[in-house]
Amino acid sequence: MSEKMKETFSGGADATAPATAPVPAPAPVPVPAPAALRARVRSLGPSMTRSMQAVAEAVAEDPAGCAALTVSDLAARTGTSEATVVRTARLLGYPGYRDLRLALAALAAQQESGAAPAVTVDIAVDDSLADVVAKLAQEEAQTLTDTAAGLDVAALGSAVAALAGARRIEIYGVGASGLVAQDLAQKLSRIGLIAHAPGDPHLAVTTAVLLRPGDVAVAITHSGGTGDVIEPLRTAFEHGATTLALTARANSPVVHYADLVLATSAARETQLRPAAMSSRTSQLLVVDCLFVGVAQQTYETAAPALAASYEALAPRHHTPVPTAKRTSTTR
């Protein structure tokens, strides 16, 4: 394993220290905010066992009702065991079931205050365009809320620092995620960073081979299992580059080769609304957070670079367009 992956652990208190020497208290384990609960259920659900999924879906769909249940009651309601309920609570980020109940109660209170529902009705083939607009707008808004609630700000800060100081940045993605990769590459390029998003899988691997410590490789994959994205990230990881993964699957293969993982919202796929639509929305929010963070850290060079690019493109946005005239043809 590379040196950048090794952690340095400090020892306990000096055995020779006076008995009255203060002992630092252990850092508290961060507990997810109530608003993050649904986001975590959607993100972690695919990696759970069926019994754990039953518990997770129950608490996400009916937080008020589940908040009033004991661990035995919830186990009976979901057809599982008390141990499964406790394991699910811990997987969702809560020390125990009591902490999960408190989060459920808080989430229920938020809903009673008039917050928008977390899950919209699926679009039907006979929906009017007005209904389609309303449903898509609500789903997109919920996707952004879920992503923001579940985003690890500490990991985001580490990713921003790595990108801001990178010698070279390679960003990998295919399909809809490839479009997001291109978006991040062009954003970083406009503030003076060397960033590329190779669209060809073979080219992606050849660029990854050339990465070294001080470089950054970014993989964008909703499923976390796309081979054409995992392979270049693994190659970059093995060559010592700092690796970053944007994925909705916390336990997916791509995270095994990522120094940093940023969670995106797990999309609900329907016949008329492929998952790529909402997954792209989630990914673009994370990309914008990365870009703004990097621009802040490199402002002295980023601001002049942006100004220069705006100036270079200005004439193209003010080119007179000749008036088109339709001519009729007489036969």
Side-chain angles (χ1 to χ4, degrees):
M1 185 175 291
S2 61
E3 288 297 322
K4 63 187 176 63
M5 293 295 294
K6 296 180 180 178
E7 296 179 358
T8 302
F9 295 90
S10 58
D14 187 347
T16 62
T20 57
V23 178
V29 178
V31 176
L37 178 59
R38 277 200 174 89
R40 294 183 70 84
V41 169
R42 295 175 70 175
S43 177
L44 297 174
S47 63
M48 293 179 178
T49 63
R50 288 188 177 182
S51 58
M52 294 177 74
Q53 284 179 350
V55 176
E57 291 171 1
V59 299
E61 292 173 3
D62 184 17
C66 291
L69 301 177
T70 65
V71 64
S72 300
D73 293 337
L74 183 55
R77 175 172 173 173
T78 56
T80 62
S81 65
E82 293 182 13
T84 298
V85 172
V86 174
R87 284 197 299 268
T88 305
R90 290 175 178 170
L91 181 61
L92 292 174
Y94 301 92
Y97 181 61
R98 176 180 176 276
D99 303 276
L100 175 59
R101 287 184 69 183
L102 292 174
L104 291 174
L107 182 58
Q110 291 177 1
Q111 291 178 339
E112 291 177 2
S113 67
V119 180
T120 62
V121 179
D122 292 334
I123 296 173
V125 68
D126 56 350
D127 277 346
S128 67
L129 280 179
D131 288 340
V132 170
V133 171
K135 289 181 178 181
L136 285 180
Q138 187 171 341
E139 180 69 14
E140 297 289 345
Q142 186 62 47
T143 296
L144 295 176
T145 299
D146 287 352
T147 303
L151 195 57
D152 185 337
V153 178
L156 177 66
S158 297
V160 165
L163 291 170
R167 180 185 69 93
R168 176 178 170 183
I169 302 166
E170 295 291 335
I171 308 164
Y172 307 118
V174 296
S177 296
L179 300 176
V180 179
Q182 293 177 29
D183 182 70
L184 178 57
Q186 70 89 13
K187 280 181 166 68
L188 296 176
S189 296
R190 288 195 66 178
I191 57 174
L193 276 67
I194 300 176
H196 306 97
D200 180 84
H202 292 184
L203 180 59
V205 174
T206 58
T207 61
V209 170
L210 300 177
L211 297 181
R212 295 293 182 267
D215 298 328
V216 174
V218 182
I220 303 177
T221 164
H222 176 71
S223 69
T226 306
D228 286 338
V229 175
I230 295 174
E231 185 179 1
L233 190 74
R234 175 184 61 80
T235 302
F237 177 84
E238 292 173 348
H239 283 76
T242 298
T243 51
L244 167 64
L246 274 66
T247 181
R249 307 289 185 243
N251 297 324
S252 59
V254 73
V255 305
H256 297 300
Y257 305 107
D259 296 321
L260 299 166
V261 178
L262 296 178
T264 55
S265 176
R268 295 185 307 117
E269 186 167 6
T270 65
Q271 185 177 10
L272 294 180
R273 191 172 190 274
M277 295 174 66
S278 53
S279 67
R280 186 180 66 243
T281 300
S282 179
Q283 291 168 349
L284 286 172
L285 173 60
V286 178
V287 161
D288 282 350
C289 291
L290 287 170
F291 169 71
V292 172
V294 172
Q296 288 176 321
Q297 286 203 12
T298 62
Y299 186 77
E300 290 186 0
T301 55
L306 275 175
S309 66
Y310 279 124
E311 183 178 353
L313 293 175
R316 295 179 177 272
H317 294 299
H318 297 88
T319 302
V321 179
T323 303
K325 295 182 179 180
R326 186 184 298 275
T327 57
S328 59
T329 303
T330 304
R331 293 185 178 182

